[in-house]
């Protein structure tokens, strides 16, 4: 089991990415709207103005977290490729997965 962190950079693709997660059987996800830190540094701290101009047209991102097995995450990425998303060349999303030592979920039978 892995803790998976997905940053959706191209927010116009958010619905398609969520549908791709669901299509491979991933349903329990947490989604958070966020602001690119580069934008915050550029506008909120005048010392950094001009240094951190984002190349993205949109300074909003969506963060998605979940616990899932690595095979299903690989299926999710392949589903996006098959659907025509050029995730290997375009800045659409970032995916990171860390192995979990333990996971607990209320209301679920415990594994012994």
């Amino acid at each position: 089991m892995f803790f998976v962190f997905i940053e959706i950079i191209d927010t116009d693709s958010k619905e398609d990415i969520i549908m791709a997660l669901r299509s491979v059987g991933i349903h329990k996800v947490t989604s958070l709207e966020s602001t690119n830190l580069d934008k915050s540094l550029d506008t909120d701290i005048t010392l950094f103005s001009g240094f951190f101009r984002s190349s993205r047209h949109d300074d909003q991102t969506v963060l998605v977290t979940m616990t899932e097995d690595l095979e299903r995450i690989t299926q999710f990425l392949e589903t996006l490729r098959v659907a025509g998303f050029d995730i290997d060349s375009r800045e659409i999303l970032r995916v990171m997965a860390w192995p979990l030592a333990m996971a607990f979920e209320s209301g679920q039978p415990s594994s012994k």
Side-chain angles (χ1 to χ4, degrees):
M1 188 68 67
F2 287 79
F3 173 77
V4 181
F5 179 92
I6 300 173
E7 178 186 10
I8 301 174
I9 299 164
D10 180 359
T11 56
D12 293 337
S13 301
K14 174 186 169 183
E15 289 80 16
D16 295 315
I17 291 169
I18 299 297
M19 290 302 294
L21 286 167
R22 295 184 62 84
S23 74
V24 298
I26 300 172
H27 301 285
K28 294 184 179 184
V29 301
T30 300
S31 172
L32 305 163
E33 304 289 327
S34 64
T35 301
N36 183 337
L37 185 59
D38 290 349
K39 170 75 172 177
S40 179
L41 284 172
D42 191 42
T43 59
D44 297 342
I45 305 173
T46 55
L47 174 67
F48 295 114
S49 289
F51 286 106
F52 296 103
R53 293 260 183 241
S54 175
S55 61
R56 300 176 193 147
H57 71 284
D58 188 4
D59 291 314
Q60 298 298 309
T61 61
V62 177
L63 305 177
V64 178
T65 63
M66 70 200 76
T67 56
E68 195 54 66
D69 63 70
L70 208 50
E71 182 179 327
R72 203 169 292 201
I73 297 303
T74 303
Q75 291 172 348
F76 155 69
L77 293 171
E78 189 56 33
T79 298
L80 287 174
R81 288 181 184 104
V82 169
F85 286 89
D86 188 9
I87 61 173
D88 299 303
S89 301
R90 289 190 47 234
E91 197 173 26
I92 297 173
L93 75 162
R94 181 175 297 120
V95 180
M96 292 162 274
W98 295 274
L100 284 173
M102 193 276 282
F104 171 82
E105 185 174 344
S106 293
Q108 298 295 315
S110 62
S111 59
K112 295 183 181 184

